[in-house]
Amino acid sequence: MNKGFKKTYCALVRRLEESSRLGGVMGILHWDQEVIMPAGASESRAQQIGALAGVLHEKTTHPEMGKLLDELFAADENKFTAPEWCNIREARREFHIATRVPKVLVTELAELSSRSHQIWVKARSENKFSDFVPALKKLVDLKIKWAGYVFPDMQPYDANIDIYERGTTQRDITPIFDKLKAELIPLIKAIQSSDYKPDVSFLSGQFPIEKQEALGRRIGEDMGFLFNHGRMDVSTHPFCGGSHPTDVRITTRYRTDNFLESLYAVIHETGHGLYEQGRMQNGRDLPVSEALTMAIHESQSLFWERMIAQGKPFCARYLPLLAETFPRNLKDVTPAQFYEAVNVSGPSLIRVGADEVTYPLHVLLRYELEKGLFDGSIRVEHLPEMWNAKMKEYLGVEPPTDTLGVLQDTHWSGGAFGYFPSYTLGAIYASQFYQALLRAKPGVEKQIAAGNMAPVREWLGVQIHQRGRLLSVPDLVERVTGEKLNPDNFLDYLKNKYRQIYQLD
Amino acid sequence: MNKGFKKTYCALVRRLEESSRLGGVMGILHWDQEVIMPAGASESRAQQIGALAGVLHEKTTHPEMGKLLDELFAADENKFTAPEWCNIREARREFHIATRVPKVLVTELAELSSRSHQIWVKARSENKFSDFVPALKKLVDLKIKWAGYVFPDMQPYDANIDIYERGTTQRDITPIFDKLKAELIPLIKAIQSSDYKPDVSFLSGQFPIEKQEALGRRIGEDMGFLFNHGRMDVSTHPFCGGSHPTDVRITTRYRTDNFLESLYAVIHETGHGLYEQGRMQNGRDLPVSEALTMAIHESQSLFWERMIAQGKPFCARYLPLLAETFPRNLKDVTPAQFYEAVNVSGPSLIRVGADEVTYPLHVLLRYELEKGLFDGSIRVEHLPEMWNAKMKEYLGVEPPTDTLGVLQDTHWSGGAFGYFPSYTLGAIYASQFYQALLRAKPGVEKQIAAGNMAPVREWLGVQIHQRGRLLSVPDLVERVTGEKLNPDNFLDYLKNKYRQIYQLD
């Protein structure tokens, strides 16, 4: 770094580290709230989170921050190392997002999101979409207004996507999603019409929670999750949280009549957790080391859940352990049977439980509706009708109620428009990364089959985790895979895999 | 409130509530660190705590806070309600304590405390007091300097005591501790020389942790602890923490060969917890509702642990439940035998495990040494020698090592001088409060014996918990008991009880 800017840059670093640490504190508050907090403390916790959010906002938007950033940004990029410039760039983006919106709109959005969430909870439980309409309309309006302040050069929906998936716009997403639609709808229909149905009977039974927990912990350890730098607990919805790369906390939930759901939740969240634990050693309290985008984060969880744990080598490796744990159900099952059972595919009403073939259609339905809401071509009142028609068209099923349809997801009630595409972009990246891994380490599936997953984790570490935010998503994907975002790989993977399982040829 | 000050007072309240909520967040960080944090996260947690402490300091010392307080304090007290004036008074005290000390001294103290703690841990484990000498000397020097800034009109040791026990000085404590010494040393000797030794053999055995936990939970519930507004967990040292009166968290620790230790730790911490859960309904995020002092807090834990749970009615009530839980050990034990066994007394080297007769001597030994360190009559180098001589004189035992002597407590290593007296002041208040309860509710021991502890909790609630910081300690004690701090009651209680148990007459 040029010496003239050293003092200024150091002052920026101190501020960024402080914010990062306070952000870690916020992580603990959220984890605690979901996992361990007494039920009667929800009101006081909301106020604590509010107070800390206020402090974080003050820190992010501090005038001194603006001054430091102006000064540093006026310099030439080549006066800084890449990590330094990344921190400056990221801090500037945060500063702009936080300061460009008038305070009155920030407050209005915060209050409306919080209120809308309550309204949505009630509307969903009572199956009354009409009760949710006014709040949802207002949220879309405010988010369009918000977009005009934050990224005035972007289309409003692109601005909303940018918060989760910077640098990716509808122009990138729409053709890819159209292709997925064109190819997956016939595949789903073919799977549905197949006479062959994998045997899943052995997945039902009684599975004691202690045994499920021990299993999840063992497989998490094999994947390389460091329990010395993390925890595994129980919450209503599985998630990966925590406060720092040395304090990464995943959760799962247990059902005594199904062990697969919990186990694959553990593997999915461990995939997120490995990304966090694997962040670069320098700058762990700075933006440069942070996870890149939501889709890249999701690519890591899906990589482990779908590419590894639903693959043949993994199934072959872990069936004996599973059979030892649950002999009554699994002792006579073959690896091939187990592989087919964990890859069963079929249309369903609810996104969160969907399999890898049908999941993208849940996402692109939501993407199309959000796009329409933001460009004015779809009215909030028409959402249930359009939702149900698309479900029928894409998946061949129709929700009997809005609770099982348009009201199922929490995202919109909190104003999180533009988030859904990340799930499917993540699935596509995961499949591209897996092909790249096979090219880089041709023997890796044998190693997985032998229970050695260290090469996988190390490759992901070097290729993705340790790169933090140094590269943009397109640059990262190109560096790792040799090509840009490309759904062909993902489609080939799905078609080959499911044609084989469902004997479609 | 006079309308002219309304706006100013409301601005103060908003700031105090923010600080209180951030203080609650700090409570969660500490609890998490002691109970649940992965071991490898200690460094990042220290930095998170540091960042939040910095924010709290900024908030407490904000110039706007000073302006508001000056304006409000310039007004006449009678323009405000008692709770309002209490908040102003408390905020002003905090502001002064935080702003009167030069920043360089604050930093020096913080760094030295942190460093000294490490040094002490090592010195204790290696039994090398000499390694701790330079840090301890420096700490005393800095704390004397600190006292000169914060409370320039007080003696330095009084200023240190005032942080924990405001309004109580050596002039109050010394004659009381001298009286305790004069009367307890002969009592301890008499107990030692008694031929009668209560049977404690049935307290040893094997006690599964799940059963101990269920027992603690049941008794905590009977005492009135709201698990909807609290938790009970495990940590190395039992404590009561949390983030709010609706989120009060107690901990205990379990030994499989002893259930009594854990059970009485639960009762002790639940006593602290009931104080927090019982705070006044209005102003729960303001100083007025907070616990008054350390000694009053300790009076609540000791009230339940010593006055209630080591008393005859409680022992009679809960022996059947204990015998049902641990029949092998307790099925043939009588209430009288159990009562004697839980009240066994004898000198020991370590303060934290001491019984109610010998505990005060551990405290007054430390008090005398601290007094001497601060008035210059005792040199740090001479502490081990003086410690051992006093142990011999007061308790008839001599530590074979400094690890079991002068190095046993963590307090000094963190610069917490003046804290120890609170333990024994708390014991005296607990005994005074118990006598007041018996006068106010003559039938209460019958109710305890019938398992109805609600009248006890309600009386403590009205008399102490809900009064928050409205009264000073002397005023509170006088209001509740009709007299000031008075050790006679405590001494009579100990003498009567232990003369009976040890058949000294």
Side-chain angles (χ1 to χ4, degrees), chain A residues 199 202-203 319-320 323 327 329-339 341:
Chain A
D199 178 11
F202 52 81
L203 296 179
L319 180 60
N329 279 66
L330 296 169
K331 72 174 185 312
D332 299 325
V333 174
T334 67
Q337 285 175 307
F338 184 67
Y339 167 74

Side-chain angles (χ1 to χ4, degrees), chain B residues 64-85:
Chain B
E64 185 61 26
M65 192 72 150
K67 260 196 267 176
L68 294 171
L69 287 168
D70 283 348
E71 204 175 310
L72 290 165
F73 220 74
D76 201 33
E77 180 176 341
N78 65 27
K79 297 209 192 305
F80 300 92
T81 65
E84 287 165 0
W85 188 249

Side-chain angles (χ1 to χ4, degrees), chain B residues 250-280:
Chain B
I250 66 162
T251 70
T252 186
R253 60 182 162 197
Y254 298 106
R255 281 170 52 179
T256 51
D257 62 344
N258 178 322
F259 73 94
L260 211 63
E261 211 179 85
S262 175
L263 182 61
Y264 276 80
V266 169
I267 294 168
H268 182 97
E269 300 308 335
T270 301
H272 284 304
L274 291 173
Y275 191 178
E276 292 297 330
Q277 288 189 341
R279 282 161 55 178
M280 64 178 80

Side-chain angles (χ1 to χ4, degrees), chain A residues 6-21:
Chain A
K6 179 144 193 170
K7 217 180 131 189
T8 314
Y9 180 74
C10 287
L12 176 70
V13 161
R14 274 195 304 276
R15 286 182 176 269
L16 292 175
E17 285 179 340
E18 185 188 32
S19 288
S20 167
R21 286 159 191 164

Side-chain angles (χ1 to χ4, degrees), chain A residues 59-79:
Chain A
K59 299 283 175 191
T60 309
T61 61
H62 197 285
E64 184 60 26
M65 191 75 150
K67 261 196 267 175
L68 294 171
L69 288 167
D70 284 347
E71 205 174 308
L72 291 165
F73 221 74
D76 200 35
E77 182 176 341
N78 64 27
K79 297 208 192 308

Side-chain angles (χ1 to χ4, degrees), chain B residues 36-139:
Chain B
I36 220 160
M37 187 187 81
S42 54
E43 179 61 24
S44 64
R45 178 56 50 89
Q47 290 175 326
Q48 289 159 0
I49 287 174
L52 187 59
V55 169
L56 274 162
H57 185 78
E58 279 168 22
K59 299 285 176 190
T60 309
T61 60
H62 198 284
E64 185 61 26
M65 192 72 150
K67 260 196 267 176
L68 294 171
L69 287 168
D70 283 348
E71 204 175 310
L72 290 165
F73 220 74
D76 201 33
E77 180 176 341
N78 65 27
K79 297 209 192 305
F80 300 92
T81 65
E84 287 165 0
W85 188 249
C86 177
N87 286 325
I88 296 167
R89 194 169 20 88
E90 291 291 321
R92 193 163 180 257
R93 179 181 153 92
E94 279 297 303
F95 183 78
H96 277 165
I97 292 174
T99 54
R100 281 181 176 167
V101 185
K103 200 163 178 186
V104 52
L105 180 54
V106 172
T107 313
E108 207 180 349
L109 259 170
E111 285 175 7
L112 182 63
S113 302
S114 161
R115 202 148 20 89
S116 301
H117 185 78
Q118 311 301 322
I119 295 170
W120 166 75
V121 167
K122 194 158 175 283
R124 186 171 76 153
S125 88
E126 296 172 357
N127 190 39
K128 271 196 183 162
F129 181 75
S130 55
D131 284 0
F132 185 43
V133 167
L136 188 50
K137 270 188 173 173
K138 185 85 190 154
L139 274 168

Side-chain angles (χ1 to χ4, degrees), chain B residues 459-484:
Chain B
W459 185 83
L460 290 172
V462 171
Q463 295 295 326
I464 296 154
H465 308 169
Q466 291 158 31
R467 280 191 165 134
R469 295 188 168 179
L470 284 169
L471 304 174
S472 70
V473 172
D475 287 352
L476 176 79
V477 173
E478 193 153 3
R479 194 78 70 91
V480 177
T481 70
E483 59 176 358
K484 298 219 171 290

